[in-house]
Amino acid sequence: MSDDTTPATPAPAPVSMDNLVGLAKRRGFIFQSSEIYGGFNGFFDYGPLGAELKKNIRDCWWADMVRRRDDVVGIETSIIMHPKVWEASGHVAGFSDPLVDCKVSKQRYRADQLFWAEVVVKTLKPEHQAAFQEMTVQHGTAPALSMDYYEFKTVGYVSALESERTDAELQEKAAEFKRKKGIRGELVPFTMKDITEADFETVSLIPSPATGEPGSLTPPRAFNMMFQTNVGAMTDGSSVAYLRPETAQGMFVDFKNVVDTNRVKLPFGIAQIGKSFRNEITPRNFIFRSREFEQMEMEYFIHEDADWAKVHEEWIVWCESWLKSIGLPDSHLSRYTHPKEKLAFYSRGTVDIMFKYPFGVQELWGIAARGSYDLTQHADASGKSQEYFDEATKKKFVPHVIEPAVGVDRIFLAVLCAGYAEEAVTDDKGNTETRTVLRLSPRIAPVKVAVLPLLKNKEVLVARAQALHKKLQKRYAVFYDETAAIGRRYRRQDEIGTPWCVTIDFDTIEKPGDTFTLRDRDTMQQRRVTEAELFALLEEQVY
Ligand code: GAP
């Protein structure tokens, strides 16, 4: 329609978390959990558009990972499992993060996210000071001296929490510390460390980020992140159970059930989508790290002698290409290979697919080669063999596994970050305005098409629009809107990522062919299409 605008030079609008969080709230994608009670840290609600977008992410994954593959089956296991599951898996003993308490403020910090540095100043040794001054006067400039002429002194410590600019913050705090204390000399450049790298005595000298004063931080200790509950009427130690911290154990524990009841042959996978819970010490970056989140995991079982590295690489490639199929740009994706010395003893290799979020490059999807560790652990703990009988070789063995594990919420945040743009557009009267647009792939966009009658008081336009809306609604999430000027209605849809708007105008009614104006969100180009062409477009793009 002529009321739309045309793209001008995109305004340089860096995606900030504030803009994204603002949009998510304003348009009903994400709310704070229990907001009317002040919110609940680490928990979120998905509003109408968010629930739809999240469901689309899950549905695309399930369709591509399970239904469209012949070698993967899907299951759904319980959130609370027998506590022995978590003993066997190693979670009871070892699923912990290092925790530091501030005894004064009662704040808790993840030790590997709390950084510190020694404030060291360099001053000229007293015995060289007179000569130095003399030479400076003589030559009109300070002489360059070797390090032997100086003495170095630790004058204090500074601390800062992990962020995009931890290093800069520490430098600023060191300069401020020196200034406030009236310390003379030159600050020596430092390397920051996290608090797990501080010895007992040093911890007592590092200021708490909450109070700015030393003496209140405790040395790091292991904090188990599993949420505990009690099952049944007793609330003593015998009834303790856990909310699952990952969905993966469901696939291991049901491995035999799946093998015995389905005609699966190695290599094959078992996939699951479901909620997981972790009592994260510092939930942060919006939905990136929360305490209740959703995982999509798949355990791909392979022969013990299979070329695991090849299968591992194939799954990494699969995951990368799946992320691109739902609209994540190549430019924002990278790989991180975990160093061998940091892997768990049973792990053969882990590669994370990383995403460039506004707060830094962070893990999106972990793809781990876990050997036969999990099945072996469960076989030992339950006394039930987890061996697979290979018909071809007539041999029994415990299969090995490759595990792609990803969080739905992290993908959700990634598609918002990658899709969000503010750009300058010019209307046909020459006025420039900023449009907010969410470039979501049609595969996952919460609304696929908006149906808009040009005028709401023209019965004939409204009737045709409503008929089209009803027909589209049978297959797709669509939105009907007859309020406001057409340009404003387009803008509303741009902001929530609707790929197409269809306008029913006078040409629809008066000219032959029953065509509508189809307006593309990204190019803002318009063309006329028939109903059949519209359905063909949706069939091709929404899968
Ligand atoms: N079974 C293996 C496993 O759970 P993980 O790396 O701990 O591995 C897998 O988790 C994925 O789950 C992560 O790559 C991330 O996408 C997501 N995830 C983990 N912790 C999360 C949290 N606290 N909030 C949101 N997503 C999380």
Side-chain angles (χ1 to χ4, degrees), residues 246 278 280 288 290 293 295 297 363-364 403 407 410:
E246 61 171 23
R278 296 183 189 177
E280 297 281 356
F288 177 81
S290 50
F293 56 99
Q295 288 186 307
E297 298 195 278
E363 173 189 341
L364 175 58
E403 177 194 74
R410 280 197 192 175

Side-chain angles (χ1 to χ4, degrees), residues 8-9 23 28 69 229 257 328 462 481 523:
T9 322
L23 175 76
R69 294 188 66 106
T229 185
N257 281 336
L328 291 186
V462 169
D481 188 5
T523 61

Side-chain angles (χ1 to χ4, degrees), residues 35-264:
E35 196 179 308
I36 59 168
Y37 291 99
F40 203 37
N41 196 10
F43 298 91
F44 293 92
D45 294 342
Y46 287 81
L49 290 174
E52 199 72 42
L53 172 54
K54 202 167 175 220
K55 178 172 163 22
N56 292 341
I57 295 171
R58 282 196 296 260
D59 288 351
C60 284
W61 187 88
W62 190 266
D64 294 336
M65 177 62 92
V66 181
R67 289 211 319 259
R68 292 176 184 144
R69 294 188 66 106
D70 298 324
D71 58 349
V72 178
V73 293
I75 61 170
E76 202 175 304
T77 67
S78 63
I79 285 175
I80 298 181
M81 301 168 81
H82 197 294
K84 285 191 175 160
V85 169
W86 306 109
E87 280 168 30
S89 66
H91 284 80
V92 171
F95 192 61
S96 52
D97 272 342
L99 169 88
V100 166
D101 281 294
C102 168
K103 288 178 285 185
V104 171
S105 68
K106 307 292 176 218
Q107 293 283 333
R108 296 189 138 180
Y109 304 103
R110 234 176 85 173
D112 55 352
Q113 293 171 356
L114 173 46
F115 289 87
W116 61 280
E118 237 173 307
V119 184
V120 180
V121 288
K122 164 177 124 174
T123 47
L124 211 56
K125 287 179 182 163
E127 62 269 32
H128 301 306
Q129 280 172 7
F132 180 84
Q133 264 159 19
E134 207 173 292
M135 284 167 77
T136 308
V137 172
Q138 246 179 33
H139 297 101
T141 172
L145 301 176
S146 83
M147 287 301 166
D148 299 340
Y149 288 83
Y150 294 97
E151 59 188 10
F152 296 84
K153 201 165 150 205
T154 298
V155 290
Y157 293 81
V158 284
S159 66
L161 293 173
E162 188 184 57
S163 74
E164 271 290 82
R165 52 186 311 279
T166 316
D167 197 33
E169 195 182 327
L170 287 170
Q171 308 279 357
E172 286 159 15
K173 283 187 171 169
E176 175 72 1
F177 177 88
K178 180 175 160 282
R179 192 185 59 75
K180 270 196 178 157
K181 302 257 173 199
I183 297 167
R184 293 181 43 189
E186 194 185 323
L187 275 178
V188 174
F190 53 70
T191 343
M192 63 181 195
K193 295 176 179 165
D194 76 47
I195 209 156
T196 59
E197 299 166 277
D199 60 32
F200 192 78
E201 200 197 320
T202 309
V203 170
S204 69
L205 302 171
I206 297 171
S208 156
T211 63
E213 295 300 324
S216 63
L217 294 178
T218 62
R221 65 186 164 89
F223 172 78
N224 194 299
M225 289 194 287
M226 280 199 294
F227 280 105
Q228 277 192 22
T229 185
N230 291 88
V231 173
M234 304 292 284
T235 51
D236 59 11
S238 69
S239 64
V240 166
Y242 305 95
L243 302 195
R244 68 179 174 203
E246 61 171 23
T247 58
Q249 295 306 318
M251 278 80 95
F252 294 124
V253 170
D254 273 345
F255 171 73
K256 269 288 181 189
N257 281 336
V258 172
V259 171
D260 294 346
T261 55
N262 293 263
R263 297 166 63 81
V264 286

